[in-house]
Amino acid sequence: MLFKKLTDFSSTDLVGQRVFIRADLNVPVDEAGNITDDTRIRAALAGLRFAADAGARVMVTSHLGRPTEGELKPLESLSLIAAALSQHLGQPVRLVKNWIDSEFAVADGEIVLLENCRGNVGEKSNSAALSKTMAGLCDIYVNDAFGTAHRAEASTEGMAHFAKIACAGPLMAAELDALTAALANAKRPLVAIVAGSKVSTKLTILNALAEKVDLLIVGGGIANTFLLAQGSPIGKSLAEADLVDEARLIIAKMQARGAGVPLPTDVVCAKRFSPDAPATIKSINEVEVDDLIFDIGPDSAAALARTLQTAGTIVWNGPVGVFEFAAFSEGTRVLAHAIAASPAYSIAGGGDTVAAINAFGIADRIDYISTAGGAFLEFLEGKSLPAVAALGRRAEG
């Protein structure tokens, strides 16, 4: 899809212009108000620096958490984000509150942070009135929040219709280029790793990938449902018995086109969910009725690692075990390092996936790390993302 990019503008084009950037600064925050992972903040810096260095008057906003419109709580304020941006950018970034209802000035080259956009009444419902009001604040609207591109909200989709100019920021453009390269122009074999607790939350993506990929590796509770579908014992492990038939259909669909869904032959089990629970490696056929499967076993991990070395493209979403617990992290660690060592083009997305990448220190060996979760999955499904579609329509005239 064609769309205008912020980086298409020269310094002459941007100097003195009011540039409104919708970023995705929705970072995890602990109960004490500390940012526990600033990946999304760092990813947004390129667009902010580009506009500010060109002399634009930069306004940036984001959502944080899930606030009730018109009722922001202290931990939902972007004040801690303003402090983090100031530190990363090496210049003051002031927070502007009540920015819809009050006037504020921005100097050339200055960056101001507009308070949590989801605190504005009408944001989530994509209010046309709110979209017009926000669009009136700027000369150029920039969507650099791929992580929210699957949501049609006032700051992500609505503004693109009413702003004088609407374009994609460098992060948005990079995400779309990387995902297109990974799927539309994929080098074969194309391997997808999809893991998570439930098949139901990723059923559509599994069905979509079953028609595209050469190998579909499932992990976590999803793998347990597939194991159940092939008649393997899973004890008390998390699974969805009502989706066993769906899992069988996906396996059959893959097999019919010469593709495969490799399932673990050995697993790591425990009797309870706890970091100090004794872990036992078992053949899949040895799983007992009171066992809980928390990871793939060493034989399965080694076999998958060998397979990944022959891949042309790898798409990764989700750790294959409870990697937060040391006793159940080895499967994810082995696959993570195999992906990093593979000559394949690798792209990874999703919060847990990024956490695993950081935990195992392989970020510099993954070709592209997406900051998105839901948008990443919906793009893989082949869905049209509302925010991206809006930019495309503006580019067409």
Side-chain angles (χ1 to χ4, degrees):
M1 176 182 289
L2 295 176
F3 46 83
K4 292 179 181 177
K5 299 180 182 180
L6 175 63
T7 52
D8 292 336
F9 295 93
S10 67
S11 296
T12 304
D13 296 325
L14 293 177
V15 65
Q17 295 294 294
R18 298 171 301 157
V19 175
F20 186 112
I21 299 179
R22 173 49 159 104
D24 182 7
L25 306 173
N26 184 34
V27 294
V29 179
D30 64 22
E31 293 181 357
N34 300 307
I35 296 171
T36 57
D37 183 351
D38 67 353
T39 300
R40 285 177 173 168
I41 292 175
R42 288 183 284 107
L45 297 177
L48 298 175
R49 286 193 177 110
F50 183 88
D53 289 349
R57 302 174 181 181
V58 185
M59 298 164 278
V60 57
T61 193
S62 172
H63 71 287
L64 180 67
R66 298 178 179 178
T68 299
E69 291 183 357
E71 300 177 18
L72 282 184
K73 298 175 183 176
L75 282 180
E76 294 165 343
S77 171
L78 298 188
S79 56
L80 72 167
I81 307 295
L85 285 174
S86 298
Q87 182 177 7
H88 281 293
L89 292 166
Q91 68 182 76
V93 176
R94 59 188 170 96
L95 179 67
V96 179
K97 301 190 179 218
N98 303 316
W99 50 279
I100 293 295
D101 302 316
S102 60
E103 293 185 5
F104 59 94
V106 185
D108 291 1
E110 185 184 11
I111 300 171
V112 300
L113 180 62
L114 309 181
E115 184 59 283
N116 195 327
C117 58
R118 284 195 184 161
N120 297 326
V121 177
E123 168 66 17
K124 294 198 72 174
S125 63
N126 200 12
S127 160
L130 177 62
S131 299
K132 288 179 182 178
T133 297
M134 293 193 295
L137 297 174
C138 65
D139 302 302
I140 300 172
Y141 164 73
V142 182
N143 192 331
D144 208 21
F146 182 75
T148 62
H150 60 310
R151 302 187 187 281
E153 298 180 350
S155 66
T156 64
E157 198 269 351
M159 283 186 71
H161 297 285
F162 301 109
K164 297 174 185 176
I165 297 172
C167 63
L171 178 60
M172 172 75 83
E175 295 264 10
L176 293 171
D177 288 345
L179 286 167
T180 300
L183 288 182
N185 307 313
K187 181 181 178 182
R188 299 284 177 167
L190 170 56
V191 179
I193 302 169
V194 181
S197 59
K198 294 183 178 180
V199 172
S200 55
T201 59
K202 294 186 178 178
L203 181 59
T204 52
I205 180 62
L206 291 169
N207 273 307
L209 290 175
E211 299 176 355
K212 301 174 183 177
V213 305
D214 301 299
L215 202 67
L216 178 59
I217 298 171
V218 291
I222 293 174
N224 295 337
T225 301
F226 276 75
L227 286 168
L228 199 60
Q230 73 169 14
S232 298
I234 63 168
K236 299 189 301 181
S237 305
L238 178 66
E240 293 174 286
D242 58 328
L243 291 176
V244 162
D245 287 342
E246 292 285 354
R248 289 191 182 119
L249 287 173
I250 289 170
I251 293 172
K253 185 187 295 185
M254 293 285 287
Q255 291 176 339
R257 40 184 291 269
V261 185
L263 295 174
T265 57
D266 63 334
V267 291
V268 183
C269 300
K271 301 299 185 183
R272 55 190 172 84
F273 183 77
S274 174
D276 62 355
T280 306
I281 299 170
K282 296 185 176 184
S283 163
I284 189 61
N285 295 321
E286 297 173 343
V287 174
E288 299 175 356
V289 292
D290 61 343
D291 276 333
L292 294 162
I293 299 172
F294 291 139
D295 195 12
I296 60 174
D299 290 346
S300 300
L304 292 175
R306 288 192 295 271
T307 298
L308 292 172
Q309 300 317 299
T310 64
T313 306
I314 300 170
V315 179
W316 179 22
N317 176 253
V320 295
V322 186
F323 79 97
E324 300 93 335
F325 297 167
F328 312 114
S329 65
E330 187 64 9
T332 301
R333 187 195 68 79
V334 170
L335 259 62
H337 282 282
I339 295 168
S342 174
Y345 178 82
S346 56
I347 181 167
D352 289 341
T353 313
V354 173
I357 287 170
N358 291 335
F360 299 121
I362 59 165
D364 60 342
R365 292 191 286 157
I366 302 297
D367 290 298
Y368 192 82
I369 300 173
S370 174
T371 59
F376 179 84
L377 290 175
E378 291 197 15
F379 189 98
L380 296 184
E381 286 178 46
K383 289 184 178 179
S384 174
L385 305 182
V388 177
L391 294 178
R393 286 192 291 271
R394 286 301 303 271
E396 292 170 359

